[in-house]
Amino acid sequence: MGPPGREAWAQRLAAFRASPAAFLAGPDGEDLGRALLDDLRSERPSEPTKVSLLALSLEFAAQLWPDAPAAEAAATCLLDTLLLLPPRPSALRRPLLLAATTVLVTGGALSPSSAAARRLLPLLLDLAAGRDPGRGFGPASEQRPLQATACECLRELESCRPGLLGGCVGLLRGVLAREGPVQPLGLLLALALRHASGSPTGARAALRSLLTAAELPPGPAPCRWTLEEEDTGRLRPHASSWPDAQAGPCGLVALEPSPQEARELRALVTQLLDASYLLAPAAQAQLLWLLGWALRGLPGPPPALFKPQLVRLLGTAQVTLLHAVLGLKAAFGEALFTAQDEALLLRRLALAAQHPALPLPSQLFYLHCLLRFPENCPLGPAAKEARPPLLLSAPLCRGLLPSLLQEPPVLLARLRLLCLLCAEGDGEEPGPSPLRYLEMLLAGLRQRAALDGAPRASAALCFQASYLAAGGLAGQSPTLSTLTHGLAWLYRTRPALAPHFVDLLNKVGPELGPPLRGVLRQEVLSQPGGGETLRWHLQMLAEVVTAEAQGAILQFLRAAAPHCADWGLQQALLRVCRVLLRGGVGGGGLADLLQVLASQLGDPDARDHARLYYMLLAHLAAPRLASALAPSLAAPALTSSLVAENQGFTASLMIQEAPAPLRLSVGPRRAGGPTPALQLLVEALEPAFSLELRFSAPGQLYGPLRALHVPCLHPGRPAGPLHLPLQPRRPAPASLDVQALYTTPSGHTRHACLPPLPVGLADLFLPFPQPPDGSGPRFFEELWDACLPGGAESRLWCPLGSQGLDAWVGCHLQPFVVAARPPTSYHVAIRLPPDSRLLLRLEAAQTEGVPVALRTDNWAVLPLAGDYLRGLSPAA
Amino acid sequence: MVYACVPLVEQTLCPRPPLVSISGISQGFELLFGIQDFLYSRQKNDIELNTKLNQLPDLLLQACPFGTLLDANLQNSLDSINFASVTQSQKQPAWKTGAYKGKPQVSISITEKVKSMQYDKQDIADTWQVVGAVTCKCDLEGITPNVTISLSLPTNGSPLQDILVHPCVTSLDSAILTSSSIDAIDDSAFSGPYKFPFTPPLESFNLCYYTSQVPVPPILGFYQIKEEEVQLKITVNLKLHESVRNNFEFCEAHIPFYNRGPITHVEYKVSFGQLEVFREKSLLIWIIGQKFPKSMEISLSGTVTFGAKNHDKQPFDQICIGSTAYLKLHFRILDYTLTGCYADQHSVQVFASGKPKISTHRKLISSDYYIWNSKAPAPITYGSLLL
């Protein structure tokens, strides 16, 4: 199959772009990278198709060639394609250079060991220096765009390998002097300087190259692949935060440049700055940020070099340029900006923040810059956040204050400034009081929100503004009081805003929360019980109930109850009761109310709830009640209060799964009693009350096992052994499933599954009743003979330990011995419930072992008995 | 259309760095503004918009090689893709992708917008402000032609303030930089000429923006509403200031009634012009026309009756609650600026080959020109609060 044509590629690329990951995981995914490279080399696809293929490899290099070997191979292929292009104009050279660089960088193949990187770097340097790399590399008309592209590629390599081109600074400067493309070269030089400023050796290399290399020397390119140890910690590629003027220079003071070096460096910086107006504004800003950093680290050029640019920059309203000036201000402080300069900068920012000709986002950004203006901040804690810049005087702010006619984001941003001014203001500034204006503004917002049919956005804006004002005016009690009463008015006028109020109450701090709760409670309680607004009042009340007003609250609820006709209202009513219960508020009055509700509410579910609450109130003490009704921690992310409430309630009433609070093990056997039984040892891991242990045996091996009860368990306090009787239906070992049900100290019931408990054959052994003295041997012989012919017989050899047969029997089989002639002969008879027997005849013991003859009336027991005997330890 | 941009922040995010310290924030803003300009300038319909949207990926590769924003002017990027073979020299600014060939000409147009809030109240001051924009298109040969444009004011003109210039302006007088609306105006204020030396880009661009405080609003208005049961009694007086050029392209007063029903009946008397009634929209438009009468004063009085409110059809407004109401003036005067600001053809200096033809245009447009009902509360700004 030949290579796909233009249409096929277009479809393939569209499918890839729609979902790169899905495409790569699909059947065509594996081949895409290879097919793309093949087609770039092939002559068949048209140039525009190839350009679109290259655009794709630029955009998705990391997906197409994700690891270093693949990236290396792809970059090699791209470079080959580039060098094989016929020497006529082509739109492919620039994207090929960009793609090769991108692939090397994103694939992590950029290193001195990469052959492709070793080919690419000299090629880029040649192109950047405006020299023909040979073999008719492109026509002359393409020289300049290629030169620019090569510079951009070099800049990317330097970004990823800080310091790589430190030694080429002199060379690049020479190119700039010979009329190289000013923007890409300028940015590349600035980046190289910025990186050189990060390390003494880098700086040294850059300075040296400034003096020597105006021409590319023959031989390998002067690139520094490896960075010294000391560099790596400090250099982050192209960090975008501004440097801090207070932090002092970056630590290269020790590097003393020679006068000649210092002169050259200064000349270079001046050259870059002088040509900066030829750069596009965004690139100019980049250059300024980079040079700002570079000059912070490099000894020699003073920050005053920036001065001639400042007036030009301050005159524009370009976001990037003014921001870069702020960056310089932060970096150099007083070294570059006198107090007057600083005041001018602030004025320009203030006017840009309110200039009607600028778009809103710019205005907001400038306002943010004003509030975060880098200056020597006033001393004291929290000074950075809580006050406007020192030089931002009230007259300067006058045009920056909010008004009702503004868009909500602008209004809120400016409101923040207004609050700062109010908090600052000592009442001595000329002009109307900002506090009074703030009150008027908030009142206007409330009026809008109160309007019947006003959109949700205007209510939201009012509450956002109130929240901001409450936070900003913590110390201004008269204004806070006005705000509180204004909000109470708003609630009275439009109770449907109750959800907004609930939200606000949950967010505001102590300066507004408690007083607002108080006035809102009064508002609600002064309302008549019925009407359309009842549900809002109930919702509000659930948020603001307190113990002090319980009489009035209960009265309100009693009056409201007959009006609660539908399920929703009844639930809202019950919700208030629930909050009262939880807070331990209400007492007898609440009990009466709940009783009334339990009989009078229309909805059965609501009646049940009321009854349940009544029962809980009557039977549980206050702390227990609170925990039974508290919202569950298990469901903190649920936003609906209904669901959350239900979850909390369910959690307290339902049994939750939990890890086991104890460890169980089988203790020493104690033969005796009418049935076999296990002695269980308990080790408590957590406190547990009313513990119930439930056991079950698989496959009907045993009869029902009864549950065991322990009143209380505490870690560290020993608990007595537990006695678990077994009722085997067949004499067989088993593994018992164990479950624990218990109450935690917090009152919740928990359920846990414990590890299974093994029951061995020996656990089922019971002795025969002791025959009368002297009749033992005969009794045994009768049993022995009775086993056959229905039963089974076997013989085996049991190894004995050093202590001999006597000790071995004493250790394992003592309760079951019916006749013995110690130390050589023992006759053992064992009952195996329900109705089997196992007889052992141990005679003629030798020093190392004893032959054992087994007989049983149940053939199924024989292999189990054999296993048991073989498993007995030789020595006890 | 939602524009979003995620700047790369290569530093620790905890504690959260302030936005202002991240250079990528302003770069992101610039890029988004650039995209917005590119998509909506000179765009006529959805097909063109789609074409431009399809060009975006390639343009972004061009404008942000390796993710670094180099030029937010995407039209430039498009041009540089299309004219990549144009030979560039070092002095070629990066923001100028080619060179103009043809008859040299320079076009300068000054557009002033005047906005106002008039209350006619004792304790609230009326406010008005002029915002000017100077747009240039310089078709000049050569790589970096230099142009200096001077804006001048007549002797009684209002000083220009809050001047923001295009980044191609190479130097600025400090008086231009510091004249600001923050300061009170006195006689010592710098009143020009305002010189802007620059190297023009190829496209049309906004050389500068300014604001100005003219001593009086061009049209002084008075608006009063009296509620009488189901009808409103309205009175409007408008007075054109004598200094203003009485030659409008158009002049209209829009009188909307919000949060009420449709207009069912209007009885009115106008001293000048005609009144149009838009019943369903609850809107009156008083078409004043091209000229105020000799007296410079005109008036409208009448009663308006409203039907039952129907929320779906009649306009809702959050500001105009109760009797709070406004009328809004829409007008345009050609060949006139309120500040008096003009660009003298003879003062335009061009350092380029050939003598260019210089054309200048001026106009004044109203924008947000409100006159509020003086009998009801009205939204105010801090600036209009009197002591």
Side-chain angles (χ1 to χ4, degrees), chain A residues 482-507:
Chain A
T482 316
L483 177 60
T484 311
H485 287 98
L487 286 171
W489 169 85
L490 178 59
Y491 181 73
R492 197 183 318 138
T493 320
R494 210 172 158 209
L497 296 178
H500 289 273
F501 277 96
V502 171
D503 241 17
L504 180 70
L505 285 172
N506 288 328
K507 296 260 161 54

Tab-separated table of all heavy atoms in Angstrom, chain A residues 482-507:
chain	number	residue	atom	x	y	z
A	482	THR	N	-24.909	49.052	60.436
A	482	THR	CA	-25.758	49.471	59.321
A	482	THR	C	-25.934	48.321	58.343
A	482	THR	O	-27.037	48.069	57.838
A	482	THR	CB	-25.104	50.653	58.576
A	482	THR	OG1	-24.612	51.556	59.538
A	482	THR	CG2	-26.084	51.331	57.659
A	483	LEU	N	-24.827	47.624	58.086
A	483	LEU	CA	-24.870	46.500	57.147
A	483	LEU	C	-25.827	45.426	57.657
A	483	LEU	O	-26.665	44.901	56.915
A	483	LEU	CB	-23.450	45.939	56.982
A	483	LEU	CG	-23.304	44.715	56.094
A	483	LEU	CD1	-23.766	45.007	54.679
A	483	LEU	CD2	-21.865	44.221	56.072
A	484	THR	N	-25.714	45.115	58.968
A	484	THR	CA	-26.551	44.080	59.560
A	484	THR	C	-28.027	44.440	59.415
A	484	THR	O	-28.841	43.622	58.985
A	484	THR	CB	-26.209	43.950	61.055
A	484	THR	OG1	-24.796	43.864	61.182
A	484	THR	CG2	-26.849	42.720	61.647
A	485	HIS	N	-28.357	45.677	59.745
A	485	HIS	CA	-29.765	46.049	59.686
A	485	HIS	C	-30.261	46.162	58.250
A	485	HIS	O	-31.417	45.858	57.967
A	485	HIS	CB	-30.008	47.332	60.481
A	485	HIS	CG	-29.933	47.064	61.962
A	485	HIS	ND1	-28.796	47.326	62.702
A	485	HIS	CD2	-30.809	46.486	62.811
A	485	HIS	CE1	-28.997	46.945	63.951
A	485	HIS	NE2	-30.223	46.425	64.046
A	486	GLY	N	-29.339	46.568	57.369
A	486	GLY	CA	-29.712	46.601	55.959
A	486	GLY	C	-30.048	45.209	55.454
A	486	GLY	O	-31.026	45.006	54.718
A	487	LEU	N	-29.245	44.240	55.872
A	487	LEU	CA	-29.501	42.866	55.429
A	487	LEU	C	-30.806	42.347	56.029
A	487	LEU	O	-31.556	41.614	55.380
A	487	LEU	CB	-28.329	41.970	55.817
A	487	LEU	CG	-27.063	42.168	54.964
A	487	LEU	CD1	-25.881	41.416	55.553
A	487	LEU	CD2	-27.309	41.717	53.523
A	488	ALA	N	-31.082	42.741	57.290
A	488	ALA	CA	-32.354	42.334	57.904
A	488	ALA	C	-33.514	42.901	57.101
A	488	ALA	O	-34.509	42.212	56.840
A	488	ALA	CB	-32.411	42.822	59.348
A	489	TRP	N	-33.359	44.149	56.665
A	489	TRP	CA	-34.404	44.762	55.829
A	489	TRP	C	-34.591	43.966	54.539
A	489	TRP	O	-35.702	43.701	54.096
A	489	TRP	CB	-34.019	46.215	55.509
A	489	TRP	CG	-34.902	46.815	54.452
A	489	TRP	CD1	-36.107	47.406	54.660
A	489	TRP	CD2	-34.665	46.831	53.039
A	489	TRP	NE1	-36.643	47.788	53.458
A	489	TRP	CE2	-35.784	47.450	52.441
A	489	TRP	CE3	-33.629	46.382	52.232
A	489	TRP	CZ2	-35.877	47.632	51.069
A	489	TRP	CZ3	-33.727	46.561	50.869
A	489	TRP	CH2	-34.830	47.185	50.286
A	490	LEU	N	-33.453	43.576	53.970
A	490	LEU	CA	-33.513	42.830	52.713
A	490	LEU	C	-34.276	41.521	52.924
A	490	LEU	O	-35.112	41.139	52.108
A	490	LEU	CB	-32.089	42.550	52.220
A	490	LEU	CG	-31.969	41.729	50.944
A	490	LEU	CD1	-32.675	42.416	49.788
A	490	LEU	CD2	-30.501	41.501	50.577
A	491	TYR	N	-34.030	40.860	54.047
A	491	TYR	CA	-34.710	39.595	54.314
A	491	TYR	C	-36.211	39.835	54.501
A	491	TYR	O	-37.032	39.091	53.978
A	491	TYR	CB	-34.126	38.912	55.547
A	491	TYR	CG	-34.822	37.595	55.807
A	491	TYR	CD1	-34.578	36.505	54.980
A	491	TYR	CD2	-35.752	37.461	56.828
A	491	TYR	CE1	-35.252	35.319	55.168
A	491	TYR	CE2	-36.423	36.274	57.021
A	491	TYR	CZ	-36.170	35.198	56.189
A	491	TYR	OH	-36.835	34.031	56.361
A	492	ARG	N	-36.521	40.895	55.214
A	492	ARG	CA	-37.924	41.203	55.453
A	492	ARG	C	-38.629	41.456	54.119
A	492	ARG	O	-39.731	40.997	53.874
A	492	ARG	CB	-38.016	42.460	56.330
A	492	ARG	CG	-39.373	42.662	56.989
A	492	ARG	CD	-39.370	43.974	57.765
A	492	ARG	NE	-38.126	44.175	58.504
A	492	ARG	CZ	-37.485	45.339	58.582
A	492	ARG	NH1	-37.960	46.411	57.962
A	492	ARG	NH2	-36.368	45.452	59.252
A	493	THR	N	-37.915	42.157	53.214
A	493	THR	CA	-38.537	42.512	51.949
A	493	THR	C	-38.634	41.317	51.018
A	493	THR	O	-39.584	41.177	50.266
A	493	THR	CB	-37.695	43.606	51.251
A	493	THR	OG1	-37.256	44.508	52.247
A	493	THR	CG2	-38.508	44.339	50.224
A	494	ARG	N	-37.589	40.452	51.050
A	494	ARG	CA	-37.604	39.342	50.101
A	494	ARG	C	-37.098	38.066	50.773
A	494	ARG	O	-35.940	37.674	50.605
A	494	ARG	CB	-36.709	39.694	48.906
A	494	ARG	CG	-37.191	39.024	47.645
A	494	ARG	CD	-36.442	39.508	46.427
A	494	ARG	NE	-36.567	38.504	45.389
A	494	ARG	CZ	-35.656	38.306	44.444
A	494	ARG	NH1	-34.578	39.030	44.401
A	494	ARG	NH2	-35.845	37.372	43.539
A	495	PRO	N	-37.986	37.418	51.543
A	495	PRO	CA	-37.547	36.224	52.275
A	495	PRO	C	-37.074	35.110	51.352
A	495	PRO	O	-36.344	34.229	51.795
A	495	PRO	CB	-38.808	35.785	53.025
A	495	PRO	CG	-39.726	36.957	53.008
A	495	PRO	CD	-39.412	37.742	51.790
A	496	ALA	N	-37.431	35.186	50.084
A	496	ALA	CA	-36.987	34.135	49.167
A	496	ALA	C	-35.472	34.100	49.034
A	496	ALA	O	-34.912	33.162	48.476
A	496	ALA	CB	-37.616	34.352	47.796
A	497	LEU	N	-34.789	35.112	49.547
A	497	LEU	CA	-33.328	35.112	49.493
A	497	LEU	C	-32.726	34.285	50.621
A	497	LEU	O	-31.500	34.289	50.808
A	497	LEU	CB	-32.787	36.545	49.558
A	497	LEU	CG	-33.167	37.446	48.377
A	497	LEU	CD1	-32.613	38.846	48.589
A	497	LEU	CD2	-32.606	36.870	47.087
A	498	ALA	N	-33.571	33.573	51.382
A	498	ALA	CA	-33.067	32.813	52.529
A	498	ALA	C	-31.850	31.943	52.199
A	498	ALA	O	-30.885	31.927	52.971
A	498	ALA	CB	-34.194	31.976	53.123
A	499	PRO	N	-31.837	31.208	51.063
A	499	PRO	CA	-30.644	30.391	50.789
A	499	PRO	C	-29.373	31.227	50.708
A	499	PRO	O	-28.311	30.796	51.159
A	499	PRO	CB	-30.962	29.749	49.436
A	499	PRO	CG	-32.439	29.786	49.325
A	499	PRO	CD	-32.888	31.008	50.065
A	500	HIS	N	-29.475	32.441	50.133
A	500	HIS	CA	-28.299	33.317	50.068
A	500	HIS	C	-27.853	33.699	51.481
A	500	HIS	O	-26.662	33.757	51.772
A	500	HIS	CB	-28.634	34.596	49.293
A	500	HIS	CG	-28.816	34.378	47.830
A	500	HIS	ND1	-27.774	34.407	46.947
A	500	HIS	CD2	-29.920	34.114	47.100
A	500	HIS	CE1	-28.231	34.183	45.721
A	500	HIS	NE2	-29.527	34.004	45.798
A	501	PHE	N	-28.838	33.978	52.337
A	501	PHE	CA	-28.493	34.350	53.711
A	501	PHE	C	-27.793	33.193	54.430
A	501	PHE	O	-26.813	33.402	55.140
A	501	PHE	CB	-29.755	34.752	54.483
A	501	PHE	CG	-30.164	36.173	54.250
A	501	PHE	CD1	-31.122	36.501	53.315
A	501	PHE	CD2	-29.560	37.202	54.963
A	501	PHE	CE1	-31.486	37.808	53.082
A	501	PHE	CE2	-29.920	38.524	54.742
A	501	PHE	CZ	-30.886	38.823	53.800
A	502	VAL	N	-28.328	31.986	54.219
A	502	VAL	CA	-27.718	30.817	54.866
A	502	VAL	C	-26.261	30.701	54.419
A	502	VAL	O	-25.351	30.492	55.228
A	502	VAL	CB	-28.512	29.545	54.509
A	502	VAL	CG1	-27.774	28.309	54.981
A	502	VAL	CG2	-29.898	29.610	55.131
A	503	ASP	N	-26.060	30.886	53.110
A	503	ASP	CA	-24.707	30.840	52.558
A	503	ASP	C	-23.812	31.884	53.206
A	503	ASP	O	-22.685	31.599	53.617
A	503	ASP	CB	-24.794	31.157	51.064
A	503	ASP	CG	-24.299	30.011	50.236
A	503	ASP	OD1	-24.216	28.908	50.800
A	503	ASP	OD2	-24.000	30.227	49.051
A	504	LEU	N	-24.321	33.106	53.268
A	504	LEU	CA	-23.541	34.210	53.830
A	504	LEU	C	-23.184	33.913	55.289
A	504	LEU	O	-22.040	34.086	55.710
A	504	LEU	CB	-24.336	35.513	53.726
A	504	LEU	CG	-23.638	36.759	54.276
A	504	LEU	CD1	-22.471	37.137	53.376
A	504	LEU	CD2	-24.584	37.936	54.375
A	505	LEU	N	-24.182	33.427	56.046
A	505	LEU	CA	-23.927	33.149	57.464
A	505	LEU	C	-22.855	32.084	57.627
A	505	LEU	O	-22.076	32.107	58.576
A	505	LEU	CB	-25.224	32.692	58.139
A	505	LEU	CG	-26.225	33.808	58.416
A	505	LEU	CD1	-27.543	33.246	58.892
A	505	LEU	CD2	-25.658	34.771	59.461
A	506	ASN	N	-22.825	31.144	56.683
A	506	ASN	CA	-21.813	30.095	56.784
A	506	ASN	C	-20.430	30.589	56.414
A	506	ASN	O	-19.443	29.925	56.702
A	506	ASN	CB	-22.188	28.912	55.895
A	506	ASN	CG	-23.344	28.154	56.482
A	506	ASN	OD1	-23.479	28.092	57.700
A	506	ASN	ND2	-24.201	27.606	55.637
A	507	LYS	N	-20.350	31.726	55.724
A	507	LYS	CA	-19.060	32.193	55.237
A	507	LYS	C	-18.468	33.321	56.075
A	507	LYS	O	-17.262	33.428	56.209
A	507	LYS	CB	-19.189	32.677	53.787
A	507	LYS	CG	-19.565	31.587	52.809
A	507	LYS	CD	-18.342	31.093	52.062
A	507	LYS	CE	-18.534	29.737	51.430
A	507	LYS	NZ	-19.685	29.635	50.555
